[in-house]
Amino acid sequence: QKEVEQNSGPLSVPEGAIASLNCTYSDRGSQSFFWYRQYSGKSPELIMFIYSNGDKEDGRFTAQLNKASQYVSLLIRDSQPSDSATYLCAGTYDAGGTSYGKLTFGQGTILTVHP
Amino acid sequence: DARVTQTPRHKVTEMGQEVTMRCQPILGHNTVFWYRQTMMQGLELLAYFRNRAPLDDSGMPKDRFSAEMPDATLATLKIQPSEPRDSAVYFCASGRTGGYYNSPLHFGNGTRLTVT
């Protein structure tokens, strides 16, 4: 069983809509979560990270973390065709643990924003 | 912008040949990771180093893969002998770790390996 699971997708939304990407994790020891965007043939690029329960906003992106329910989500408001990519959720231990930043990735969700 | 540098970008080789991939982490980052990405398995951690010391290489087939960090500016991943199933994109990522919250990882552009 993978430690980080993403809703399989692919997800298709019209331009201007809100895209909602979800991720669940099995290990309650996970402390920090990251969302990476990966365009086809490119490397993963960090979009957001979140450590605390609640919402964290950055421009059109909002990350949400609920540690009690063990899920993380990413909302993209006013989706643009340029947002079309694979979105990777990753979790890691922190807080003086021994994982030293080791990220466990989900399989990714392919997002297509159509004009 | 500081970035992780990987070489080569592409490598095509025949089965049985040795392959060496190199990574220069971002200056000041003390932790270096090697990931492999395939369509079937996604991103898998192969090995990682902190302050040049290997921390975990359990994701790596030990009989043919080896990872080293000869100095703070160079990490290498070697496959000998290579096999067609090693065909994948190999990413190096670096970060700064050791505080309460570790810095996010930054990825290099990857080495796309094809073994025929």
Side-chain angles (χ1 to χ4, degrees):
Chain A
Q1 180 192 358
K2 279 206 74 110
E3 294 176 12
V4 176
E5 299 273 355
Q6 294 186 240
N7 55 334
S8 54
L11 180 64
S12 179
V13 300
E15 185 174 356
I18 295 175
S20 177
L21 304 158
N22 300 313
C23 173
T24 58
Y25 60 96
S26 57
D27 191 337
R28 287 194 175 273
S30 297
Q31 298 281 340
S32 308
F33 297 89
F34 303 83
W35 282 100
Y36 284 82
R37 177 176 62 198
Q38 187 175 25
Y39 291 115
S40 180
K42 302 294 187 182
S43 59
E45 170 195 11
L46 180 70
I47 298 176
M48 291 194 70
F49 56 92
I50 186 166
Y51 301 139
S52 305
N53 273 325
D55 295 359
K56 179 181 178 184
E57 189 173 314
D58 183 1
R60 296 187 296 111
F61 298 97
T62 299
Q64 299 172 317
L65 173 59
N66 184 323
K67 290 190 177 182
S69 301
Q70 293 178 243
Y71 82 77
V72 195
S73 63
L74 179 70
L75 299 177
I76 307 175
R77 288 181 301 282
D78 189 24
S79 297
Q80 301 296 310
S82 58
D83 295 325
S84 298
T86 298
Y87 288 80
L88 298 161
C89 171
T92 186
Y93 292 99
D94 272 310
T98 59
S99 72
Y100 291 117
K102 179 174 75 172
L103 292 180
T104 299
F105 284 87
Q107 280 289 90
T109 298
I110 299 172
L111 171 67
T112 302
V113 181
H114 51 88
Chain B
D1 266 349
R3 48 182 68 201
V4 177
T5 303
Q6 287 187 248
T7 57
R9 291 292 307 277
H10 303 274
K11 176 72 175 179
V12 180
T13 191
E14 292 184 347
M15 183 173 62
Q17 297 299 304
E18 177 178 301
V19 175
T20 298
M21 290 169 269
R22 294 179 173 81
C23 168
Q24 180 176 359
I26 291 173
L27 187 65
H29 283 185
N30 63 348
T31 311
V32 176
F33 299 79
W34 284 105
Y35 283 89
R36 175 172 63 185
Q37 188 175 39
T38 60
M39 288 293 292
M40 292 298 295
Q41 299 297 326
L43 269 168
E44 301 174 285
L45 179 66
L46 297 175
Y48 74 111
F49 297 79
R50 185 172 184 269
N51 295 331
R52 295 177 55 202
L55 286 192
D56 184 356
D57 62 0
S58 59
M60 213 162 62
K62 301 286 193 309
D63 56 338
R64 300 184 299 108
F65 284 59
S66 61
E68 294 180 346
M69 198 158 178
D71 63 63
T73 64
L74 177 65
T76 62
L77 179 66
K78 202 169 289 190
I79 308 174
Q80 168 62 21
S82 57
E83 297 181 0
R85 59 181 166 151
D86 301 329
S87 298
V89 181
Y90 290 80
F91 287 107
C92 174
S94 72
R96 174 181 287 283
T97 69
Y100 190 83
Y101 288 118
N102 299 316
S103 74
L105 299 190
H106 295 267
F107 282 77
N109 286 327
T111 294
R112 182 176 295 276
L113 174 65
T114 303
V115 183
T116 61

